[in-house]
Amino acid sequence: MKKLINNPDDLLPDSLTGFANAHADIIQLQRNPYVIHRKNQPTKPKVALISGGGSGHEPLHSGFVGTGMLDAACPGHIFTSPTPDQMIAAATTVENGAGILFIVKNYAGDIMNFEFASELVTAPNETVIVADDIALPKDHSMGRRGVAGTLIIEKMVGAAAEREHNLAYCKSLGDRICANTASIGAALTSCTVPALGRPTFDISETEIEMGVGIHGERGCSTQEFTDATTLTHNLGDAIYDELKPKKGQEILLHINGLGATPLIEQYLIYEIAQKYWKQKGITITRSLVGNYTTSLDMAGCSMTLTLLDPELTTLWDHPVHTANLRWGC
Amino acid sequence: MKKLINNPDDLLPDSLTGFANAHADIIQLQRNPYVIHRKNQPTKPKVALISGGGSGHEPLHSGFVGTGMLDAACPGHIFTSPTPDQMIAAATTVENGAGILFIVKNYAGDIMNFEFASELVTAPNETVIVADDIALPKDHSMGRRGVAGTLIIEKMVGAAAEREHNLAYCKSLGDRICANTASIGAALTSCTVPALGRPTFDISETEIEMGVGIHGERGCSTQEFTDATTLTHNLGDAIYDELKPKKGQEILLHINGLGATPLIEQYLIYEIAQKYWKQKGITITRSLVGNYTTSLDMAGCSMTLTLLDPELTTLWDHPVHTANLRWGC
């Protein structure tokens, strides 16, 4: 294993400190336990959005803390859930009179820890569970995983909270976006967790891992890689079967790089994808391309699609000012 | 070679089309020859900034076309200079009465082609040559290479042009920023050019390539990799010896990912670097961390430092609205 680190133990604390120092105008880092929260607290009561999860997916979630998106993020160890004390500390810091919405990716550890925190937090709170990864069947025993669609829920609900919608509204909005969002990914390589020191799975020079998650777990099938078009169509077909968008439906199309795939390839995938959806009669009105929900140094990409309506589009366009997503302000 | 492509020949045109479709609100793509130019032409005469170079370094340069930065970018084939007809087409499209400033990274092919274009363009024009890579000696026969510092020159001069400074001013400003900017990089892996199909150099599991460029060329030395702190200090020492900043000097510190290095590692490097410069008595007032000047799928990073003064800081902070660098608007 060759990585730009000193040792696996110091990586997360030192990296978080670096993140906090690099973006001191936007966020602050609390220690013991670790919480990243927005620097400029809102002046009026607003629903406080708190997310978090294992590290190694940067910029998710810490990179999305700031005005118009998350109020706080709780970073766990690499690919490991944060602990309830982090969520409680986050809640104590950012709750300001309108309650808390937890946004949680659907993994057993995250669910358990956020649930525990939500019971201990005294302020009114709700939870939106993100389970956008359609690689697993809907009736999977653990439920589906939360992947790149999480950013979209955080962005849109963050805008709603900024517009002073109340907790019940933000919770219901989050659930609605989840129901209208589907993702699926494919990997060309595995990734190497520093503490493990070797790739989490083996894959040959001619294969791809279809329906891969973001924790170095295997996908639902290992397939021969033929070409980018076939791969992109396969991702599109899976999402089409899931969301069954009608002709004329407006969508947000998000092509997400998993970490080590160059932008030039991601934009190629975007181009194939946008042609695919156009041929289905679907109208792409918003797009996002880049490394947003990563899996350390994994090569590959995912496709996420959200069915838009005028409200969701307005919320997407609302100004956002975070370390890694920024527009309109 | 396993890459998210169909074939090497279609990669660039399809990726450019994808880029143009994903960012149709900011940029437009001209074909035959390829030029990316800003969509919203300025309403008043302003110096038109044109850059370009080989592809494979995304988001440089196309991702920096838009209000407050470049007016146009000319994308060459991967790691290959664009041709004069691209620069002439760009000039024809974006020149609007205040002349043209070409910003050119110092490589023989780019210099030759931009020089040829500058002679054929009828509008008044000047060229800023970026040669910020201090891995090569100052008196190297080909001169030093242009690397991640290019973004800083494009950003600051872009702001000056937006503020209606004239061509002579922008040229002189560009030269001044170049003189105050130094970069050096290190790679953990080589990168694979799609048309070549194999890594451009071999490197063992314990080595790094110090002073690496952004075209998959070898660096100035192959060294044993010990740890992130030693590496970062070595990068810092090289820049310190070059720029010799005085105590109290304000700087912009840019840690750039070369493509396949996760953000969590880049922020670790940033943290080590910011401590290094603080210990030297230097004041970091602006920071940028992320994949901005890449070398396809190369793992590694570079450090760039620019000595700031109040004017440069103001120009850095000026609003910018491009596909991949955006703040203040």
Side-chain angles (χ1 to χ4, degrees):
Chain A
M1 177 189 67
K2 198 165 49 169
K3 283 180 172 286
L4 288 178
I5 66 174
N6 288 321
N7 61 67
D9 291 341
D10 296 344
L11 173 57
L12 181 62
D14 288 351
S15 181
L16 283 173
T17 306
F19 179 78
N21 282 321
H23 302 291
D25 52 331
I26 301 176
I27 56 97
Q28 284 189 329
L29 173 66
Q30 272 177 226
R31 290 181 178 80
N32 302 315
Y34 285 117
V35 172
I36 301 270
H37 64 86
R38 57 190 270 184
K39 191 180 176 187
N40 297 316
Q41 297 292 332
T43 48
K44 286 185 270 185
K46 73 170 268 296
V47 175
L49 262 60
I50 299 176
S51 191
S55 294
H57 307 303
E58 290 71 23
L60 187 83
H61 299 270
S62 306
F64 307 141
V65 174
T67 309
M69 213 159 162
L70 297 177
D71 292 272
C74 306
H77 286 285
I78 287 178
F79 295 173
T80 305
S81 171
T83 50
D85 59 327
Q86 291 177 268
M87 299 145 198
I88 292 164
T92 305
T93 301
V94 301
E95 206 283 326
N96 78 334
I100 295 161
L101 187 68
F102 293 109
I103 300 178
V104 185
K105 300 195 299 303
N106 188 39
Y107 299 98
D110 294 76
I111 294 289
M112 186 185 72
N113 287 313
F114 272 98
E115 216 167 73
F116 195 61
S118 83
E119 283 166 18
L120 291 178
V121 163
T122 50
N125 65 84
E126 295 279 359
T127 299
V128 170
I129 294 173
V130 186
D132 57 315
D133 185 357
I134 60 168
L136 296 178
K138 229 175 191 161
D139 58 358
H140 187 269
S141 61
M142 305 289 287
R144 286 169 162 176
R145 303 168 294 200
V147 290
T150 312
L151 171 155
I152 294 166
I153 287 104
E154 292 177 353
K155 169 67 190 81
M156 289 177 177
V157 181
E162 210 75 43
R163 290 171 164 227
E164 298 175 45
H165 284 292
N166 68 19
L167 181 58
Y169 190 91
C170 288
K171 153 72 175 161
S172 142
L173 173 73
D175 288 343
R176 182 159 74 86
I177 305 164
C178 286
N180 286 292
T181 297
S183 303
I184 186 164
L188 299 183
T189 69
S190 177
C191 60
T192 299
V193 179
L196 193 64
R198 55 178 166 72
T200 53
F201 60 81
D202 293 320
I203 186 161
S204 86
E205 253 310 297
T206 62
E207 290 170 336
I208 55 162
E209 195 66 18
M210 194 69 181
V212 79
I214 55 171
H215 297 96
E217 64 272 51
R218 290 213 83 106
C220 35
S221 70
T222 307
Q223 303 176 357
E224 282 298 301
F225 177 63
T226 54
D227 56 77
T229 297
T230 306
L231 170 64
T232 309
H233 287 183
N234 288 344
L235 299 177
D237 287 348
I239 291 177
Y240 186 81
D241 288 347
E242 174 72 23
L243 291 179
K244 299 184 175 64
K246 290 185 185 144
K247 276 190 195 220
Q249 172 67 51
E250 296 195 346
I251 60 161
L252 160 60
L253 175 60
H254 174 28
I255 300 299
N256 173 57
L258 290 174
T261 285
L263 270 184
I264 194 169
E265 295 177 33
Q266 294 180 40
Y267 280 110
L268 170 74
I269 300 295
Y270 174 85
E271 176 56 15
I272 300 165
Q274 72 91 11
K275 269 190 191 154
Y276 172 93
W277 289 109
K278 268 193 188 160
Q279 278 169 357
K280 297 270 187 202
I282 308 303
T283 309
I284 302 166
T285 57
R286 295 294 180 276
S287 301
L288 185 70
V289 183
N291 298 325
Y292 290 99
T293 302
T294 62
S295 186
L296 291 170
D297 54 353
M298 180 175 275
C301 72
S302 62
M303 185 192 296
T304 298
L305 193 139
T306 297
L307 307 180
L308 292 174
D309 59 31
E311 185 192 11
L312 298 191
T313 304
T314 302
L315 293 173
W316 181 255
D317 291 344
H318 187 89
V320 59
H321 185 75
T322 69
N324 296 104
L325 202 70
R326 205 179 298 190
W327 57 69
C329 61
Chain B
M1 177 189 66
K2 198 164 49 167
K3 282 179 172 286
L4 288 178
I5 67 173
N6 288 320
N7 61 68
D9 290 341
D10 295 344
L11 173 57
L12 181 62
D14 289 350
S15 181
L16 284 173
T17 306
F19 179 78
N21 282 320
H23 303 291
D25 52 329
I26 300 174
I27 57 95
Q28 285 189 327
L29 173 66
Q30 270 176 230
R31 290 180 178 79
N32 301 315
Y34 285 118
V35 173
I36 301 271
H37 63 86
R38 58 190 269 184
K39 191 180 177 187
N40 297 315
Q41 296 292 330
T43 48
K44 286 185 269 184
K46 72 170 268 298
V47 175
L49 259 62
I50 300 175
S51 189
S55 293
H57 307 302
E58 291 70 24
L60 186 84
H61 299 271
S62 305
F64 307 140
V65 174
T67 310
M69 213 160 162
L70 295 177
D71 292 271
C74 306
H77 287 285
I78 288 179
F79 295 172
T80 306
S81 171
T83 49
D85 59 328
Q86 291 177 268
M87 300 144 198
I88 293 164
T92 305
T93 301
V94 300
E95 205 283 325
N96 78 335
I100 296 161
L101 186 69
F102 293 110
I103 299 178
V104 186
K105 301 195 299 304
N106 188 38
Y107 299 99
D110 294 75
I111 294 290
M112 185 184 72
N113 287 313
F114 272 99
E115 214 167 76
F116 195 62
S118 83
E119 283 167 17
L120 292 177
V121 164
T122 50
N125 66 84
E126 294 278 359
T127 299
V128 169
I129 295 173
V130 186
D132 58 314
D133 185 357
I134 60 168
L136 297 178
K138 228 174 191 161
D139 57 358
H140 187 269
S141 61
M142 306 288 286
R144 286 170 163 176
R145 303 168 295 201
V147 290
T150 313
L151 171 156
I152 295 166
I153 286 105
E154 292 177 354
K155 169 68 190 81
M156 290 178 177
V157 181
E162 210 76 44
R163 290 171 164 228
E164 298 176 45
H165 284 293
N166 68 18
L167 180 58
Y169 190 90
C170 289
K171 155 72 175 160
S172 143
L173 174 72
D175 288 343
R176 182 159 75 87
I177 306 165
C178 287
N180 287 293
T181 297
S183 302
I184 186 164
L188 299 183
T189 69
S190 179
C191 60
T192 299
V193 179
L196 193 64
R198 55 178 167 74
T200 51
F201 60 81
D202 294 320
I203 184 161
S204 86
E205 253 310 297
T206 61
E207 289 171 336
I208 54 164
E209 196 65 19
M210 195 68 182
V212 79
I214 55 171
H215 295 95
E217 63 271 54
R218 291 212 84 107
C220 35
S221 70
T222 307
Q223 304 177 355
E224 281 299 301
F225 177 63
T226 54
D227 56 77
T229 297
T230 306
L231 170 64
T232 309
H233 287 183
N234 287 344
L235 298 177
D237 286 348
I239 291 177
Y240 186 82
D241 288 348
E242 174 72 24
L243 291 179
K244 300 184 175 61
K246 289 185 185 145
K247 276 193 195 223
Q249 171 69 50
E250 297 195 346
I251 61 161
L252 161 60
L253 175 61
H254 174 28
I255 299 299
N256 174 58
L258 290 174
T261 286
L263 269 185
I264 195 169
E265 295 176 33
Q266 293 179 42
Y267 280 110
L268 170 73
I269 300 295
Y270 175 83
E271 176 55 16
I272 300 165
Q274 72 91 11
K275 270 190 191 154
Y276 172 93
W277 289 110
K278 267 193 188 160
Q279 278 169 356
K280 298 268 188 202
I282 308 302
T283 309
I284 302 166
T285 56
R286 294 295 180 276
S287 299
L288 185 71
V289 183
N291 297 323
Y292 289 99
T293 301
T294 62
S295 184
L296 292 170
D297 54 354
M298 180 175 276
C301 72
S302 62
M303 185 192 297
T304 297
L305 194 140
T306 297
L307 307 180
L308 293 174
D309 59 32
E311 185 192 11
L312 298 191
T313 303
T314 302
L315 293 172
W316 181 255
D317 290 343
H318 187 88
V320 59
H321 185 74
T322 69
N324 296 103
L325 202 70
R326 204 179 297 189
W327 56 69
C329 61

